[in-house]
Amino acid sequence: LIVLWMVATGLAIGYYWIPGVAAVLEPLRVWQGEHELVGAFVSRVFFCGLVPGVFLLTVKAIRPKRPWATMVAQALWCGVWGLYYVYLYRWMSEWFGDGPELMTLVRKTAFDMFVWSAFVMIPLNAVFFFWVGHDLSLAKAKENWPRHFVRELVLPNYVTNWCIWIPVMMAVYAFPLTLQIHLGGLAGAFWALVLLYQNAHLQGR
């Protein structure tokens, strides 16, 4: 967790203060600007689908019964959300500002964490990964659906989500708009592994 914070913060600081870091990321920034939706979809499929998929296939502790199907389902799920994030990030830049100033980062992160994620992403991810954790079986998921789903699965995710993402998103929003989707995706690979491990643990794997 601390390593993730340090990497995100280090990249943000390096982008503005270390010669060469911005130049390295410039081709990605230009490419994303030219292929906005495709770039966002591909980025999230890679970082949040394929990268965690490698761990699904190789780490026994989290390997599901259907690893390949799980990897495809997760890649598509995250890829589609990448499209939504293009519009979310664009809207927040128009509403809260588009720069690395502290209050701009605070406003964007607060809206992301306490509005968007709290009422949209966390509940939907809880449902999706619960289904994934039951081997993509609606019947199994329905059979084992917790009596108090919100209290047992959704609410605990708030604490984990905020601990991980508040520092990370402060760093992500410091980058130019066209790079935010990729830096968020990079951190999303770690978060996807957390959710996969959590659901595998619930299933006793």
Side-chain angles (χ1 to χ4, degrees), residues 131-184:
W131 171 63
V132 168
H134 287 79
D135 304 316
L136 308 180
S137 170
L138 291 176
K140 287 183 180 180
K142 182 178 180 181
E143 180 181 351
N144 293 286
W145 190 263
R147 183 177 179 181
H148 303 289
F149 182 81
V150 173
R151 187 179 68 191
E152 295 177 27
L153 288 183
V154 176
L155 292 181
N157 275 336
Y158 283 124
V159 177
T160 307
N161 187 83
W162 290 334
C163 287
I164 293 174
W165 283 101
I166 288 177
V168 169
M169 293 313 296
M170 286 283 289
V172 168
Y173 288 132
F175 283 87
L177 180 61
T178 47
L179 287 176
Q180 291 171 11
I181 191 71
H182 300 289
L183 273 300

Side-chain angles (χ1 to χ4, degrees), residues 27-76:
L28 180 62
R29 188 191 69 79
V30 173
W31 180 81
Q32 176 61 29
E34 296 173 348
H35 306 85
E36 194 173 33
L37 293 177
V38 172
F41 182 82
V42 170
S43 176
R44 290 304 169 108
V45 165
F46 176 76
F47 284 120
C48 303
L50 300 184
V51 172
V54 172
F55 288 88
L56 285 177
L57 296 172
T58 58
V59 180
K60 187 176 180 180
I62 62 171
R63 186 186 305 150
K65 292 182 179 179
R66 304 173 63 190
W68 288 101
T70 298
M71 182 171 64
V72 171
Q74 182 173 313
L76 293 176

Side-chain angles (χ1 to χ4, degrees), residues 13-140:
I13 294 173
Y15 186 83
Y16 291 101
W17 294 99
I18 299 178
V21 174
V24 170
L25 295 176
E26 181 62 14
L28 180 62
R29 188 191 69 79
V30 173
W31 180 81
Q32 176 61 29
E34 296 173 348
H35 306 85
E36 194 173 33
L37 293 177
V38 172
F41 182 82
V42 170
S43 176
R44 290 304 169 108
V45 165
F46 176 76
F47 284 120
C48 303
L50 300 184
V51 172
V54 172
F55 288 88
L56 285 177
L57 296 172
T58 58
V59 180
K60 187 176 180 180
I62 62 171
R63 186 186 305 150
K65 292 182 179 179
R66 304 173 63 190
W68 288 101
T70 298
M71 182 171 64
V72 171
Q74 182 173 313
L76 293 176
W77 172 261
C78 295
V80 170
W81 279 115
L83 303 180
Y84 281 92
Y85 272 109
V86 168
Y87 295 102
L88 176 68
Y89 289 174
R90 184 192 301 166
W91 178 83
M92 284 197 292
S93 291
E94 294 172 355
W95 190 260
F96 300 120
D98 186 23
E101 296 79 16
L102 178 60
M103 288 310 301
T104 299
L105 305 183
V106 169
R107 293 187 187 102
K108 287 183 176 181
T109 302
F111 179 84
D112 190 333
M113 293 294 99
F114 302 111
V115 179
W116 169 259
S117 292
F119 294 100
V120 180
M121 283 304 299
I122 292 176
L124 291 178
N125 266 337
V127 173
F128 174 78
F129 282 98
F130 185 81
W131 171 63
V132 168
H134 287 79
D135 304 316
L136 308 180
S137 170
L138 291 176
K140 287 183 180 180

